[in-house]
Amino acid sequence: MSKAANSKNLNESSLSRLNRIHPVTNVVFNAIFVILALVCFLPIVFIFIISITDNDVIRQQGYQLFVTAETFSAEAYEYLWSQRLTILNSLWVSICVTAIGTVLGVLLTTVMGYVLSRREHKLNNFLTILIFIPMVFGGGMAASYVVNTQILHLADTIWALILPLAVSSFNVTISRTFFRNTIPDEVIESARIDGASQWTVFFKIVMPISKPVLATIGLFLAFGYWNDWFQSKLYISSDHLLSLQAMLDRMQSSLDFLTKNPTALLGDSGALRASMPQESVRMAIAFVVAVPIACVYPFFQKYFISGLTVGAVKG
């Protein structure tokens, strides 16, 4: 017994030494992580600094790393404030699209992933291949446009911003892998023996213990919906249905959009172009778009990392 215990202690000691991180290595890793964090964070700070820098200073001296009383200017945000009715309307569209699309996308994705995770399902192999094909081959933009506009008649409706992005093969694969490796078959079988239907099993047993994958898929979808402007460019012609990103893209690319807008500044359009702080406005727009969705991530980070790790490593 003593020899076995000594052998066990030696094995545990060896594993402990193998898993131990040298202090120097730990310092190096921490330094690398700090540098990577700064690389991700500093561009946002730099964009904000440019957005509050006087446009004349930017033209004469280029971008500034620091703002002084002489170089400070709030003209960019004053200009955006003058367009607040248009921006608020587009913000409301983006919020609605992001909220509805995320909920709908999470529901559809997890349902599909759960069905594919059940090995006893008769069409499991066929459906798996059907989901996998779009990850390799795509129908192209023209085919998608014809289907969405001519067959589904989604053009110039809010559903054109929601349905095309609701489900992706990648998200379904993550969901399927999570359910297959996390949800014990015994739990589902016992619930079915007790008379629970498939919907009852899914909503009352599977979903409550699937927070990691729900947060992962939800964040993927929320980021996609919030940052999307291309769907508006393809399918939306009414100004009141433009998402925030699409509307701000128009503001950057064409001042004519502002001069024709009911909330635009009054006066000659040429004078408006001359007085507009163009560079700082572009940076202010980028800052306004990036900050809200960035503030959401920390609240879901734990579940996001857990769900993404399960889907990537155990697949």
Side-chain angles (χ1 to χ4, degrees):
M1 291 293 292
S2 60
K3 291 183 178 180
N6 290 335
S7 177
K8 182 179 180 181
N9 292 333
L10 287 175
N11 290 334
E12 291 179 353
S13 178
S14 300
L15 290 174
S16 177
R17 285 197 300 269
L18 288 174
N19 293 327
R20 188 182 305 156
I21 298 178
H22 194 275
V24 176
T25 305
N26 192 34
V27 171
V28 172
F29 283 165
N30 288 331
I32 292 174
F33 290 146
V34 169
I35 292 173
L36 292 176
L38 290 176
V39 168
C40 297
F41 181 70
L42 286 180
I44 299 295
V45 176
F46 192 49
I47 287 174
F48 177 70
I49 291 174
I50 298 173
S51 69
I52 59 175
T53 302
D54 187 84
N55 205 56
D56 293 333
V57 175
I58 295 176
R59 283 198 300 265
Q60 296 171 7
Q61 303 178 19
Y63 294 147
Q64 306 292 312
L65 292 177
F66 302 98
V67 178
T68 64
E70 291 77 15
T71 62
F72 174 80
S73 174
E75 291 181 3
Y77 292 98
E78 291 174 359
Y79 192 84
L80 293 183
W81 178 252
S82 70
Q83 313 302 322
R84 59 188 178 278
L85 296 180
T86 303
I87 293 177
L88 288 175
N89 178 76
S90 297
L91 176 63
W92 175 246
V93 172
S94 289
I95 291 174
C96 290
V97 169
T98 302
I100 297 173
T102 301
V103 172
L104 182 62
V106 168
L107 179 61
L108 294 176
T109 300
T110 52
V111 168
M112 295 173 68
Y114 173 72
V115 171
L116 294 178
S117 69
R118 299 299 94 199
R119 294 181 175 87
E120 69 274 10
H121 195 278
K122 295 181 180 180
L123 298 178
N124 189 287
N125 293 332
F126 171 74
L127 293 177
T128 300
I129 295 174
L130 196 65
I131 293 297
F132 177 74
I133 289 176
M135 295 182 66
V136 183
F137 306 102
M141 186 187 304
S144 300
Y145 183 83
V146 170
V147 170
N148 291 326
T149 58
Q150 303 301 320
I151 299 177
L152 300 179
H153 303 288
L154 298 179
D156 217 22
T157 66
I158 196 171
W159 294 108
L161 305 178
I162 296 175
L163 295 182
L165 303 178
V167 178
S168 72
S169 298
F170 178 74
N171 291 342
V172 173
T173 302
I174 290 179
S175 179
R176 165 186 172 272
T177 305
F178 179 88
F179 289 137
R180 177 166 291 184
N181 292 288
T182 305
I183 310 299
D185 293 336
E186 293 78 8
V187 174
I188 297 177
E189 288 299 326
S190 62
R192 294 179 63 183
I193 291 174
D194 291 337
S197 65
Q198 289 288 3
W199 288 112
T200 302
V201 172
F202 179 73
F203 284 109
K204 293 189 176 181
I205 297 177
V206 175
M207 294 292 275
I209 60 177
S210 301
K211 290 181 180 179
V213 75
L214 295 178
T216 302
I217 303 303
L219 277 177
F220 281 154
L221 290 170
F223 287 158
Y225 280 117
W226 183 264
N227 294 320
D228 177 67
W229 55 270
F230 191 63
Q231 305 300 319
S232 295
K233 223 173 184 62
L234 282 179
Y235 303 116
I236 302 300
S237 58
S238 300
D239 291 344
H240 70 278
L241 286 177
L242 282 178
S243 64
L244 179 64
Q245 288 70 20
M247 189 274 297
L248 295 179
D249 176 69
R250 287 193 182 184
M251 288 177 64
Q252 291 188 76
S253 61
S254 176
L255 285 177
D256 290 336
F257 174 75
L258 291 179
T259 57
K260 295 176 182 179
N261 194 278
T263 60
L265 294 176
L266 298 177
D268 181 71
S269 61
L272 178 61
R273 292 186 181 92
S275 63
M276 176 181 173
Q278 297 180 7
E279 191 66 23
S280 57
V281 164
R282 284 198 292 269
M283 296 303 175
I285 289 172
F287 185 77
V288 167
V289 170
V291 168
I293 197 66
C295 293
V296 175
Y297 177 76
F299 297 99
F300 299 92
Q301 182 180 11
K302 180 179 68 173
Y303 296 121
F304 175 76
I305 294 175
S306 175
L308 187 60
T309 302
V310 171
V313 176
K314 294 187 178 180

